Amino acid sequence: MTIAIEGLYAIINRISQTPEELIRLCKQLLRGGADAIQFRNKSVVSQEVIDLAEIFSRLCRRFGVPFIVNDYVDLAKKSNADGIHLGQGDMGVKEARQILGDAILVGVTVSRVDEAQQAVIDGADYLGCGHIYPTTTKHKPYPPIGVSVLEKVVNAVSIPVVAIGGITANSVSSVLATGVAAVSLVSAIERHSDPSWACKEIKDIIVANRDPICR
């Protein structure tokens, strides 16, 4: 599988859902057209979490979609993930590659141009930039950066940028106009009554914004 970060970058949050609910969500995201899936687990890496990650990894491979683990390098290795996504306070890019190998995809969260440029120097393959708009998914110690800062980040680097944070179907077009490679919607999809339909709606918007014929 050729690994590329573009289009719709979906995130599965392990919060209060049961394993069965999370597996169903993963299938819905894939059937809806997600182009990459990240598993975000902020609790202890239990055997249940490992089992879930392995299932997600197999499902993503079946659909030819990159599977990325947030934060936990060991979990990424055990689940045979295609990538790892690191925050500013997590392990460094080079150290992650030493553990997971050179073929692993490494993403880094940034919110400023200097962070983005440093991540490129460190060897990141893509950036997750945000939060763009106010979000309730994660507590943030700083205000939304908005599309103006996002565009500056996009123009400052040569690797793909994924926009994240408070994005909805109504704001996807404005975010895509900055030149980002992908958009990530969390609440707008996982809290929807039909996550698969929500994914399809976003994919249609992405295609319409990138294909002049569809405009």
Side-chain angles (χ1 to χ4, degrees), residues 11 16 60 67 76 86 105 114 124 129 144-145 161 165 170 172 183-184 188:
I11 294 179
S16 58
C60 286
F67 173 61
L86 305 169
L105 190 71
D114 61 318
C129 185
I145 65 172
V161 176
N170 291 331
V172 167
V183 292
S184 184

Side-chain angles (χ1 to χ4, degrees), residues 12-162:
I12 297 175
N13 271 316
R14 182 179 179 268
I15 303 176
S16 58
Q17 303 97 318
T18 66
E20 292 74 20
E21 289 171 333
L22 291 171
I23 292 168
R24 182 168 62 251
L25 174 60
C26 183
K27 291 177 179 178
Q28 289 172 317
L29 297 176
L30 290 167
R31 289 168 182 159
D35 297 297
I37 286 184
Q38 180 194 122
F39 180 32
R40 180 187 286 164
N41 169 70
K42 294 298 182 180
S43 61
V44 175
V45 179
S46 62
Q47 187 59 50
E48 178 181 272
V49 171
I50 295 171
D51 292 343
L52 270 174
E54 290 176 340
I55 291 172
F56 295 154
S57 183
R58 290 196 297 270
L59 285 171
C60 286
R61 272 185 167 68
R62 190 182 304 169
F63 280 80
V65 168
F67 173 61
I68 298 163
V69 169
N70 185 279
D71 294 348
Y72 293 105
V73 174
D74 288 345
L75 181 60
K77 187 171 185 177
K78 289 178 180 177
S79 62
N80 196 28
D82 300 295
I84 182 77
H85 190 87
L86 305 169
Q88 286 295 309
D90 294 329
M91 178 184 294
V93 175
K94 293 179 181 178
E95 188 177 355
R97 289 198 193 283
Q98 288 176 348
I99 297 172
L100 298 172
D102 293 335
I104 197 74
L105 190 71
V106 180
V108 176
T109 296
V110 302
S111 60
R112 306 193 310 259
V113 169
D114 61 318
E115 290 177 343
Q117 293 173 327
Q118 185 59 54
V120 173
I121 292 172
D122 292 340
D125 295 298
Y126 77 93
L127 305 175
C129 185
H131 56 299
I132 311 305
Y133 304 109
T135 175
T136 59
T137 303
K138 291 177 68 178
H139 172 71
K140 295 289 187 179
Y142 52 88
I145 65 172
V147 292
S148 60
V149 174
L150 173 63
E151 187 168 20
K152 290 178 182 178
V153 168
V154 171
N155 292 332
V157 299
S158 58
I159 61 176
V161 176
V162 181

